[in-house]
Each structure stands twice: as structure tokens, then as C-alpha cells.
Amino acid sequence: MATDTAPLSRAATFRTDDTVARVRRVRTRRRMRAADLMVVAVWLSVAVAISLWLAYGGMNQVTDPASAITALGIVTGLVGTDLILVMLVLAARIPAIDRVFGQDRAMALHRRLGRPALSLILAHAALLTVGYAMSDGSNVVAETIGFLQSKDLLLAYLGFGLLVAVVVTSLVAVRRRFSYEAWHLIHLLSYLAVLVAVPHQLSAGGVLAEGTGQRVYWLALYVLAFGSIGVFRFLVPMIRSARHGIRVAGVEQVAPGVVSLHLTGRNLDRLHTAGGQYAIWRFWTGATWWHAHPISFSAVPTATTARITVRDLGRGSAAIGRVRPGARVSIEGPYGVFTDAHRVAPKLAVVAAGIGITPIRSLLEHSPLSPGEATVVLRGTDSTQSYLWSEIGALPSMRGNTVYTMLGARPPGLATWMSAEALSRGVTITSAFPDLLRSDLYVCGPQAWTDLVIRDARAAGLREAQIHVERFDW
Amino acid sequence: MRARATILGALSSIAVFAVGWQLGADGQQSETTTSDTAAGSAPTSTVTPSADAGSSTATPAPTPSASASETTTSAVSGTFTGTSVHTRFGDVQVQITVQDGILSDVTALQLTDQDSRSVSISNRAAPILRQEVLSAQSANVHSVSGATYTSNAYLTSLQSALDQAGL
């Protein structure tokens, strides 16, 4: 239905407010439709998994308690496996999903599905053991020993054990005990866990029997899930990294513990990076090659240069500050929905704190803003956190727009995102942003602080669609 | 928008369930229909005892009965081995004993035995099938639920044995 193809964020040719509003409406509608379709697709995949069993004639086999338990065991296995494949798709960084939801929301859903999926697989194993034992008139121990005689089922048990390890190490309480690298290594086992469970799905039971449509569909799901991971997590980043030949050109200390990395490469403009996006970077030096970091662009890349700014939040990111010029860099991305393309409202309200300035800087640089459209609040505890601030006011797009700075500590014992000083002057989110309800609010900063900004915005009556957040803690 | 996705998701899921259900019901129906026609055609087939059984494992021992005068059909006696039927859970083959044109016993020579599960399923199904077949005097019986593969193969092998016996 919509025919506009002009990339609004790149060309400021549409400048009348009406046109901008219309383009945004069309874009938003299209994005909402895509989002709904993806949600429906997840629902449908679960429904189809159950229907595979229905179409097999599963209902006709339910005649007594034993067969009912067995049937439930088959269905939980199908649905649980379907959810695991959905989780793989969510983690595959498929561009369409990133554009519509953003990788952080996709991963939030991925995390939420973990425990239900594991529970279903657990139920699958337990119910089938009990169901079989009941119909055979034996007990679960004898039945389990019988299962273990089969090579395929032995593999399935192995896969289940791996899944338990993956999910348990991902529980918040447990995950803290592991380094990111150890956790990630264990997490990679989930690929193996999913694959070793395949043989028993195809050989035991009748739902996925040879020559059935069910089998074709099921294998297609696996191809889709593993194919998208192979393509978007491995192939595309490798090709991109090779094609652009990115290297570190210079390391610039912009504040204590904060460095800007100046990068060079070929045709970097063809990454089509939108202001506000990030990429996952890997620096090929002895101390850093084993860990990739998500870091935002602090400026929109030109054809040959790019700049990212990073604060040493951990062991790994501190080592990045010591990377020497000339080091090779590989890139996954760019990713992220913290961009002008996701705007829905006529005005723009921006709050940034600390290293959160990074995507804000490139977002504002890339936004075609009219005078009076944007209000920016830059927040820091002290002047060591005011890096890149001077660049904001100097951006061409910020001409005629307002930048406030709010320096100072928060009042002790009070849950607020503002400084004690601003609070005592009676500043509120609506006094800082008089047009808040007609604005898109972009917030980037430490998680707890960000949550407080959002709390105030919601309390002021801002709609969810107008709240844009970049999470930095994953 | 979330509501729209939920409603759409729920509706399309229901549609998918309906299709799945229908396919399941259709499959069951066509299965019974085919077995009906297969069994129905059996009595009309030739009654001459066939010594030229296709199966090499067959042991045709047709001995025309002396008491054949009572009926117009020639009553046969002997044992007949059905063809071996392959399933994804193992091969199935049965042998029948016929006495004076009456099916007196069915022995399973081989049953689905791919794994312990298959063995326990066929051990459960075989006595039920034998009982039903003996009382129906044909392969036109219902398959045992939960043992579809075993039942279908059992009855197919049985039918071929019955054909050899001319029953």
C-alpha cells in the first residue's frame, strides 16, 4: 500500500512536517504489521507442532489413561522442541527481527522461553516413561533401562542433559558465578543439544515417520533455525569483516577510562549504519581476540572512517583501550532500533547519561531535525562524565534545538534520575520536556537510572510506543 | 497492536488445529476403508488351493478334506505362512493353521522388534489380534490402538496367508 521508498534518515529532502508525519505513520504501521506477523508466526509454530500430532491421528490413539499420558508426552516434546527452535531463531540476529523489535527485545523473549521450553522437554521425557510403563505393565526404572538400549534415545538423554546445563547456567543467580566466556561456551552446547535430539524424533514414534508431510515440515524448521544462525551470525559477519577490512587507526582517551576508537576501512558507508546503532566488535590482538563487545557508533561512519566510544566496564573492555593502531577488527552488525527510523511523534526528547551519550551522539547527527524539534538533557555525576557533550551542540542538526546539562550527584536515598540540585529547583520530566507527550523519548544510560527516567515518563502519561531505550547491560 | 497479534494468533492457531484434526480424522477413515475393501475382496477370490505360493517361505500343505461333500467349497487343511511385511519398527510375519477350511490358529513368526519398546508393543498387541482374527475368521478386524504399525503389518501378512489357503 505504501509506496514511499525515500530513506528519511539519510536524505533530508522531505522537510515539510506533514510529509515527515505521514512517512512516520506509514513506517510505524508497516513495522507494527511486521511485528504482529512475527508474533503470530510464533503462535502458529506452536499450533502446527500440536497439529502434526493431530494430523497423525493422535487423538484416535487416546483410549485409556496410559495412552493419554503417552499422547501428552508426545505433544510436550513437539511443542518444547518447537520453542527451542524459536529461541534459536530469536538468537540468530535476523535483520528483519532486529529492524522490527531490536535484538535486545528478541533476546528478552529468548530468555523468557528458556525455562518453559526446558520444562516441556522434561515433561516429555517423564510422561512418555510413565505412559509406556503403564501400557506395558512395567515400572519407570525398567522402562528407562529399556530406553537406554536404543542408541537414538541415549543421544536424546545426552541432549537433555546438555539443555539442563545450558538453562541452569543461564538462570540469573547461577550466571553471575560464571565469567561471560565460560557461560557463553556452555551456551554454545545448546546447538549440540538440539542436534543430538533429532535422531530419536525421526526413529521413535510415528508422528514424524518417513514419507510424511510432518517429517518434511519438522526438518524444514531445523534448516530454518540452524540456517539463519549459520548465515546471520557467522557467514554475513565474516563476509562483512573481510569486505570492509576494518583496522584501528587511533585510540583517543576522552575521559578517565573512556576511549574513542577511530577505525578505517573500505566502503564503510555501505554498512548502512543508522545513527544510534551499535555493532559487535572483535579486536584481533592477543589480549582481546577471544571476546566480542557490543559498542555503539559515536559518529555516523563515512566511506572510510568510523568511530566508536567505549568505557571500561569490565576486564575485556579495559583491554580494548590498549589496542594498538593497525589492529584488525571484525564486525557483526550494525544492529539496533535506537534510530530515527523508529520515531512516531513530532517532537524529540533525549536523555543521556555517562557512556549512554555514544548512541545519542550519532542518533542526533543522523536525525533530520527542524529547529525547535529536539530537547536534549545530558546527565553526569561530575565533569569527568561530560565527554562528547561539546560535540552535541556543534551538530548541524542541533541548530535551533536545546541542550540542557545536568551535572551533580543524585540525592542520597531517593529514587530519581535527576541531580539533587535540579530536584531542589523543582525540575521534573515535564518541565525539562514541555512537549513530552508529543515527543519521542530516547533514553540511554545505566540500566537502573534509565528505568527511573522511564518511570517518570510513564507517570506523565507517555505512550509505550514513544519510549525508546537502548539497553547496555547485556 | 499487541491485542491484534494475540487475536490473530489465537484465530489462526484454531484454524491450524481444525485442519490438523480433520487430517487426523480423514487419515483414520481412509485407513479403515482400505482395510475394509481389502478384506471384502478376499472371500470372492478363487477357492482353489494354491500350491504356487509367491512367498518362498510359504509351506503349502493343502490336503483336500474327505468331508468336502457337505459343502460345495473344497475345505482345506494345513499351515500357511504369510509374507514378511516390513515396517519401520521391524519385520512382521505370521503363520496360520487351517483345519477343514476353518482358521484354527495364528502364530506370529516375527513381530516388530527394533527396540524394547517395539517388543513390548507387539507382545501386547499379538494376543489381542490373534483373538480377534480367530473369532472373525478373517483379517477384517480393527487394529490395536497404540500398535498401529504392528497391527497393520500383522493383518497384511495374515491376509496373504489366508489368500494362500484360499480362505
Side-chain angles (χ1 to χ4, degrees):
Chain A
M1 51 166 284
T3 51
D4 81 286
T5 51
L8 182 69
S9 53
R10 248 168 270 135
T13 41
F14 286 100
R15 280 319 312 152
T16 70
D17 286 353
D18 275 358
T19 324
V20 172
R22 192 182 58 79
V23 169
R24 270 186 198 146
R25 262 203 311 279
V26 169
R27 259 190 195 170
T28 306
R29 209 159 45 223
R30 212 185 288 166
R31 195 168 55 239
M32 291 294 188
R33 196 160 48 220
D36 285 352
L37 277 178
M38 289 177 192
V39 171
V40 169
V42 173
W43 275 76
L44 268 183
S45 78
V46 172
V48 171
I50 298 170
S51 293
L52 294 183
W53 172 79
L54 287 174
Y56 157 70
M59 284 304 284
N60 303 309
Q61 300 194 352
V62 179
T63 49
D64 54 2
S67 55
I69 290 173
T70 302
L72 205 58
I74 294 170
V75 172
T76 50
L78 287 166
V79 175
T81 306
D82 178 76
L83 289 185
I84 289 175
L85 294 176
V86 168
M87 288 173 72
L88 287 183
V89 168
L90 287 170
R93 306 207 191 115
I94 297 172
I97 295 179
D98 181 55
R99 268 198 302 273
V100 171
F101 290 107
Q103 205 49 47
D104 53 350
R105 276 179 71 193
M107 287 316 283
L109 179 58
H110 171 97
R111 276 191 291 273
R112 262 175 49 203
L113 288 178
R115 256 197 294 182
L118 185 70
S119 308
L120 284 165
I121 299 295
L122 178 66
H124 163 70
L127 288 169
L128 281 180
T129 310
V130 171
Y132 282 9
M134 279 171 74
S135 64
D136 295 350
S138 81
N139 59 63
V140 290
V141 176
E143 205 62 53
T144 305
I145 292 168
F147 284 161
L148 291 173
Q149 312 296 314
S150 149
K151 198 171 84 246
D152 292 350
L153 280 171
L154 202 63
L155 280 174
Y157 274 104
L158 172 71
F160 178 64
L162 291 175
L163 268 192
V164 170
V166 168
V167 174
V168 167
T169 53
S170 296
L171 298 177
V172 177
V174 185
R175 183 171 168 177
R176 287 209 195 99
R177 295 168 183 270
F178 288 86
S179 70
Y180 175 85
E181 291 74 30
W183 168 83
H184 192 240
L185 219 57
I186 296 171
H187 220 74
L188 288 178
L189 289 176
S190 53
Y191 297 146
L192 187 66
V194 176
L195 285 178
V196 294
V198 175
H200 93 284
Q201 297 170 8
L202 301 181
S203 68
V207 178
L208 305 175
E210 226 168 304
T212 58
Q214 281 99 322
R215 194 187 185 94
V216 174
Y217 169 81
W218 200 246
L219 292 177
L221 281 188
Y222 272 84
V223 170
L224 178 75
F226 279 89
S228 43
I229 288 204
V231 169
F232 296 114
R233 287 201 70 159
F234 295 100
L235 202 61
V236 169
M238 270 162 55
I239 291 173
R240 238 173 232 176
S241 298
R243 179 184 289 165
H244 295 289
I246 304 172
R247 285 178 188 275
V248 175
V251 181
E252 176 194 359
Q253 178 114 18
V254 295
V258 183
V259 292
S260 278
L261 295 171
H262 295 267
L263 310 172
T264 56
R266 293 183 292 271
N267 304 323
L268 294 180
D269 50 337
R270 289 177 60 186
L271 287 169
H272 297 302
T273 309
Q277 285 192 309
Y278 64 94
I280 296 173
W281 306 91
R282 192 183 294 274
F283 301 90
W284 291 95
T285 71
T288 55
W289 67 269
W290 42 271
H291 190 346
H293 293 265
I295 304 171
S296 287
F297 290 89
S298 55
V300 179
T302 67
T304 55
T305 66
R307 186 184 71 173
I308 59 179
T309 304
V310 63
R311 206 185 91 192
D312 55 349
L313 295 161
R315 214 156 34 89
S317 42
I320 291 176
R322 295 191 290 275
V323 168
R324 294 274 173 76
R328 284 165 43 77
V329 183
S330 56
I331 179 174
E332 299 169 44
Y335 303 122
V337 291
F338 200 67
T339 64
D340 179 72
H342 281 248
R343 284 194 53 188
V344 296
K347 299 279 185 178
L348 178 62
V350 175
V351 200
I355 191 67
I357 188 69
T358 328
I360 296 288
R361 158 72 176 74
S362 60
L363 167 74
L364 291 172
E365 178 188 359
H366 213 172
S367 297
L369 298 171
S370 324
E373 180 175 344
T375 308
V376 178
V377 172
L378 303 176
R379 177 82 179 87
T381 308
D382 53 50
S383 58
T384 63
Q385 293 184 359
S386 60
Y387 45 88
L388 302 187
W389 285 16
S390 59
E391 293 183 15
I392 301 283
L395 292 171
S397 58
M398 285 302 289
R399 202 167 300 135
N401 287 304
T402 319
V403 181
Y404 296 114
T405 59
M406 192 193 288
L407 273 177
R410 293 192 251 179
L414 207 61
T416 175
W417 57 276
M418 286 181 287
S419 67
E421 188 267 333
L423 209 63
S424 69
R425 278 193 289 119
V427 175
T428 64
I429 196 163
T430 40
S431 73
F433 305 108
D435 277 330
L436 182 66
L437 296 186
R438 291 179 58 236
S439 302
D440 281 297
L441 176 67
Y442 282 71
V443 192
C444 191
Q447 190 59 56
W449 175 88
T450 303
D451 290 342
L452 290 169
V453 178
I454 294 169
R455 181 200 65 184
D456 285 3
R458 281 189 188 136
L462 195 64
R463 289 188 308 127
E464 285 305 309
Q466 287 165 257
I467 300 174
H468 308 263
V469 183
E470 182 81 304
R471 305 221 175 267
F472 252 93
D473 57 343
W474 54 284
Chain B
M1 288 300 168
R2 296 286 302 270
R4 186 174 75 177
T6 309
I7 292 165
L8 257 176
L11 286 179
S12 49
S13 297
I14 290 168
V16 167
F17 287 143
V19 171
W21 183 289
Q22 197 55 47
L23 283 173
D26 283 355
Q28 205 62 20
Q29 228 151 37
S30 64
E31 218 169 82
T32 18
T33 333
T34 44
S35 70
D36 275 351
T37 51
S41 66
T44 59
S45 60
T46 170
V47 290
T48 35
S50 57
D52 57 340
S55 172
S56 56
T57 54
T59 50
T63 45
S65 170
S67 61
S69 55
E70 279 197 6
T71 53
T72 50
T73 53
S74 57
V76 289
S77 291
T79 59
F80 302 85
T81 305
T83 52
S84 172
V85 178
H86 179 72
T87 80
R88 55 196 294 260
F89 298 111
D91 294 344
V92 174
Q93 190 170 32
V94 299
Q95 187 176 58
I96 59 171
T97 307
V98 181
Q99 229 154 21
D100 299 334
I102 305 248
L103 181 60
S104 63
D105 197 12
V106 185
T107 321
L109 298 179
Q110 197 181 15
L111 287 168
T112 47
D113 60 351
Q114 196 194 43
D115 48 42
S116 63
R117 173 73 186 152
S118 304
V119 171
S120 77
I121 287 178
S122 34
N123 285 344
R124 182 168 55 85
I128 302 172
L129 288 166
R130 177 178 174 276
Q131 202 59 49
E132 293 203 355
V133 164
L134 288 181
S135 59
Q137 286 292 306
S138 81
N140 183 18
V141 300
H142 286 297
S143 58
V144 177
S145 80
T148 318
Y149 284 88
T150 306
S151 304
N152 289 346
Y154 187 102
L155 297 174
T156 307
S157 183
L158 176 81
Q159 187 60 52
S160 81
L162 290 174
D163 288 347
Q164 288 168 38
L167 291 178

